[in-house]
Amino acid sequence: MLQSIFIQNYALIDKLDITFESGFSVITGETGAGKSIILGAIGLLLGQRADIKAIRNGANKCIVEAKFNISSYNMESFFNLNDMEYYSDECIIRREVSINGKSRAFINDTPTSLAQMKLLGEKLIDVHSQHQNLLINKEGFQLNVLDILAQDHNELAEYQAEYTEYKKVCKELDDYIRKAEETRKEEDYIRFQLQQLEETELKEDEVIVLEQEAETLTHAEDIKESLYRAAYKTGGDEGCVALIKESINSLQSISNVYHPAEEWKERLESCYIEMKDIAQDLENAQDEVEFNPSRMDFVNSRLNMIYALMQKHHVKTDNELIQIANGYRQQLDMISSYDDLISELEEKKHKMYNSVLSKAAILTGLRGKSAKKIEEDMKHLLVPLGMPNVRFSVEMSPRKEPDSNGIDGVNFLFSANKNGTLQNVASIASGGEIARVMLSLKAMIAGAVKLPTIIFDEIDTGVSGPIAEKMAMIMQAMGRQKRQVLSITHLPQIAARGKVHYKVYKEDDENGTNSHIRRLTDEERIDEIANMLSGSTMTEAARNNARELLRL
């Protein structure tokens, strides 16, 4: 529950520090005194957008800090999941907004994101303002009420996980169908390009080999002449091979009498073998090198064809052409496999669709039971609130296709008059009737959800007298369920029911106008409620009436 709130430099608030009690409490004050300002400050703690215009004139930043007792709400998992400090009995949330537009959020003095603050705030406080009455016409709100009271959290989570997977399969199938259609449009083009590349029968690094051969053929005569001279100087009658042989023989003749000659002879024999091999290679090369005009034409033609393909496909090497050909083959293979893939995905989609419908049916069953209970409980709650002939119905109808919340369409139908036609609650109910319907729904939800604090901002709009008294009793009963309920009200019948009474008021000083809030004493409560009863003129009759209300 909300233990205390500290506000500094926010709108008309210079500094405000107030503690709150458990159970049902009320907040009153003149219009414009600052009740909505306090709610706005609380909104900052719930992750709402910060507006620098709300910073008090002359201040550099505003601060809003609230302390909560969370000992009864088993919230450790939230803090662990979000890597925050956890204290079993206390949680402090703080928001700072600077004049430069920067906003900082803290949970237990740990910097945090607004998204995390919003998630935690939703677990700690529910602020019901007048504009939230408009939610009753939203199907999402109606379905959420149904789910909360059906206690189908686990079933809904299972359904949504299955539905998410189903939608992934649907997207994957659509993507494959689109790709198949796009690729089939290009199939003839791909086959033509591949055929042209395959007819060329490219080999890796072929261009390098052909370019080298072209150089050789172009300079064949020069090469042949040079090879001849080299072969003659190496292996001819007067070539180095013959001279080395003579040197070996000379050294052989003295090796017996001059020992170093043996080593030199062996070294020359190694040279002789190598030079003889080189001479033979040179001689063979002479025979191989020959100017061949027809071969020259073939090599140049082959190179020109490959160069043309490289230019066409915007690549620099023949190996890249081979890669392109392989890519075309893969595309054609994929075209052949698309039908199989699409068939498999269609079968998978069909099975998952049936599974989604099966899990949706479980939700429908739970929601159906919840709908009947809502209809019964709403009648019991609304009849004492001045609607003796009320009828409230939860209309459920199947959607054409399931969505992320199931396959159920929901509509709250309402009639306050005897024999009246049931119609959409938002289109037929008056403002006061909608307020009573929303309070009754909130009372039911509060019984199903462990929400520590509920703040009602003028939920009593459009009602008065005995009806307001009955609404106060509902909020009073909610406050007895280990829950804190705060009601901002203008009605004395509701103000008198609070266990604790707070008053918001404005005061002027030399620095301007300031809004304050304070807890009223018993005597001050009598005066406050008397003022609410009689207006600006205080009468003893009004004070006596206030005392009677407070004794209820």
Side-chain angles (χ1 to χ4, degrees):
M1 67 168 227
L2 177 63
Q3 289 183 306
S4 64
I5 187 167
F6 171 81
I7 305 172
Q8 185 174 27
N9 296 328
Y10 183 80
L12 296 179
I13 297 174
D14 177 25
K15 184 179 290 187
L16 181 153
D17 195 353
I18 188 74
T19 59
F20 294 98
E21 300 289 334
S22 61
F24 177 48
S25 301
V26 294
I27 300 174
T28 61
E30 297 291 337
T31 300
K35 300 185 293 297
S36 60
I37 294 175
I38 294 173
L39 284 180
I42 291 174
L44 289 179
L45 299 178
L46 300 181
Q48 293 178 8
R49 188 178 68 85
D51 187 349
I52 61 171
K53 293 179 181 178
I55 299 175
R56 185 174 172 85
N57 188 31
N60 292 322
K61 69 176 180 179
C62 69
I63 299 172
V64 183
E65 181 177 288
K67 183 185 295 184
F68 295 87
N69 184 326
I70 59 172
S71 57
S72 302
Y73 298 98
N74 301 319
M75 299 183 71
E76 184 174 2
S77 60
F78 174 87
F79 287 85
N80 292 338
L81 185 64
N82 290 278
D83 195 25
M84 298 176 185
E85 288 287 341
Y86 172 71
Y87 306 105
S88 60
D89 59 343
E90 184 179 84
C91 174
I92 299 175
I93 302 178
R94 185 169 82 254
R95 181 91 178 269
E96 299 177 1
V97 181
S98 300
I99 197 71
N100 59 11
K102 292 183 178 179
S103 170
R104 297 198 298 167
F106 302 86
I107 297 176
N108 289 338
D109 284 331
T110 300
T112 186
S113 67
L114 287 184
Q116 289 174 315
M117 176 175 273
K118 186 174 186 295
L119 282 174
L120 179 59
E122 289 173 349
K123 297 177 182 294
L124 296 175
I125 303 181
D126 175 30
V127 179
H128 181 91
S129 57
Q130 291 183 56
H131 77 270
Q132 280 191 307
N133 287 341
L134 301 175
L135 289 175
I136 201 167
N137 194 36
K138 304 292 184 182
E139 187 177 4
F141 170 79
Q142 297 174 356
L143 190 60
N144 189 44
V145 170
L146 212 58
D147 284 329
I148 290 173
L149 297 175
Q151 297 285 291
D152 61 5
H153 175 76
N154 292 334
E155 291 80 4
L156 181 58
E158 288 181 12
Y159 168 83
Q160 289 176 333
E162 187 76 3
Y163 179 79
T164 300
E165 289 302 313
Y166 165 71
K167 294 301 288 184
K168 285 181 182 178
V169 171
C170 290
K171 184 180 184 304
E172 189 177 3
L173 175 59
D174 291 341
D175 287 344
Y176 271 118
I177 290 173
R178 176 180 52 79
K179 288 177 183 177
E181 290 175 350
E182 290 174 354
T183 308
R184 285 193 180 98
K185 290 177 184 177
E186 300 177 355
E187 183 175 2
D188 290 341
Y189 170 79
I190 293 170
R191 289 193 184 280
F192 172 76
Q193 298 298 330
L194 178 60
Q195 182 181 358
Q196 190 179 44
L197 290 169
E198 286 182 335
E199 287 175 350
T200 309
E201 296 182 346
L202 291 166
K203 301 176 183 63
E204 287 191 5
D205 299 321
E206 183 179 357
V207 168
I208 294 174
V209 174
L210 289 173
E211 287 175 341
Q212 289 174 349
E213 185 178 358
E215 285 291 317
T216 300
L217 288 168
T218 301
H219 302 90
E221 293 299 329
D222 293 337
I223 293 170
K224 195 173 184 70
E225 183 180 345
S226 295
L227 288 173
Y228 169 77
R229 286 198 302 269
Y232 177 77
K233 295 291 184 183
T234 304
D237 294 339
E238 296 180 0
C240 63
V241 172
L243 294 174
I244 292 172
K245 182 62 175 173
E246 289 178 7
S247 298
I248 291 172
N249 290 337
S250 297
L251 290 171
Q252 176 68 38
S253 66
I254 63 172
S255 60
N256 289 332
V257 295
Y258 186 65
H259 294 299
E262 181 65 29
E263 180 186 348
W264 294 334
K265 183 199 74 165
E266 290 176 357
R267 290 168 64 186
L268 281 173
E269 284 176 341
S270 296
C271 293
Y272 175 76
I273 294 170
E274 180 67 18
M275 293 303 295
K276 193 175 181 180
D277 285 344
I278 291 172
Q280 185 63 53
D281 288 344
L282 290 170
E283 193 171 332
N284 292 338
Q286 288 181 74
D287 298 334
E288 291 175 1
V289 175
E290 181 180 358
F291 178 68
N292 187 336
S294 61
R295 179 63 185 175
M296 186 70 175
D297 290 342
F298 170 80
V299 170
N300 286 333
S301 175
R302 179 78 175 165
L303 281 171
N304 289 335
M305 179 176 61
I306 296 174
Y307 289 153
L309 287 172
M310 288 164 58
Q311 185 176 14
K312 175 181 178 179
H313 292 280
H314 307 289
V315 297
K316 295 181 179 180
T317 67
D318 50 349
N319 290 342
E320 290 177 284
L321 288 176
I322 293 172
Q323 292 175 4
I324 290 173
N326 291 334
Y328 285 145
R329 290 188 191 96
Q330 289 175 0
Q331 284 182 275
L332 292 174
D333 290 341
M334 184 60 74
I335 291 172
S336 301
S337 64
Y338 271 141
D339 289 340
D340 293 336
L341 285 169
I342 290 171
S343 179
E344 289 176 11
L345 285 171
E346 283 177 339
E347 184 177 353
K348 186 176 181 180
K349 175 185 174 181
H350 178 70
K351 289 180 179 178
M352 293 196 72
Y353 182 74
N354 288 335
S355 178
V356 165
L357 291 181
S358 176
K359 292 185 183 300
I362 295 172
L363 283 176
T364 299
L366 294 172
R367 288 166 174 169
K369 294 177 182 177
S370 175
K372 289 185 174 62
K373 189 173 188 313
I374 290 173
E375 290 172 348
E376 294 172 2
D377 290 352
M378 285 296 285
K379 184 172 182 178
H380 293 148
L381 287 166
L382 290 172
V383 167
L385 294 179
M387 300 184 194
N389 300 310
V390 69
R391 285 185 297 151
F392 190 92
S393 175
V394 180
E395 181 183 65
M396 291 179 59
S397 56
R399 299 179 182 277
K400 290 182 179 180
E401 290 294 333
D403 64 11
S404 59
N405 290 310
I407 201 164
D408 303 309
V410 180
N411 190 16
F412 286 175
L413 302 178
F414 172 85
S415 174
N417 302 315
K418 191 173 183 179
N419 299 324
T421 303
L422 283 169
Q423 296 183 44
N424 183 287
V425 62
S427 63
I428 191 174
S430 66
E433 289 169 341
I434 287 179
R436 283 173 271 178
V437 169
M438 285 298 286
L439 176 62
S440 300
L441 288 172
K442 288 280 184 175
M444 293 169 62
I445 292 171
V449 179
K450 283 189 174 182
L451 192 64
T453 301
I454 301 176
I455 300 176
F456 289 108
D457 180 20
E458 299 184 12
I459 188 71
D460 47 43
T461 299
V463 300
S464 60
I467 305 304
E469 199 173 293
K470 297 291 185 181
M471 293 177 73
M473 292 171 65
I474 291 176
M475 289 185 278
Q476 197 174 42
M478 292 169 66
R480 295 193 192 104
Q481 300 171 355
K482 295 183 179 180
R483 183 177 292 105
Q484 181 185 50
V485 179
L486 296 169
S487 176
I488 298 173
T489 182
H490 287 292
L491 298 181
Q493 292 85 356
I494 291 179
R497 285 280 179 176
K499 183 176 75 172
V500 179
H501 191 150
Y502 301 91
K503 181 177 180 178
V504 178
Y505 60 97
K506 287 192 299 187
E507 284 185 339
D508 294 331
D509 59 25
E510 65 276 6
N511 295 319
T513 301
N514 292 307
S515 285
H516 303 277
I517 182 172
R518 64 184 178 86
R519 179 173 176 168
L520 299 181
T521 65
D522 290 344
E523 281 301 313
E524 288 172 333
R525 285 193 75 180
I526 293 172
D527 289 341
E528 177 69 7
I529 293 172
N531 276 325
M532 296 171 75
L533 286 166
S534 63
S536 58
T537 304
M538 174 72 72
T539 65
E540 190 57 33
R543 289 175 59 84
N544 290 333
N545 197 358
R547 291 188 183 95
E548 290 296 320
L549 284 175
L550 287 166
R551 279 200 294 268
L552 288 176

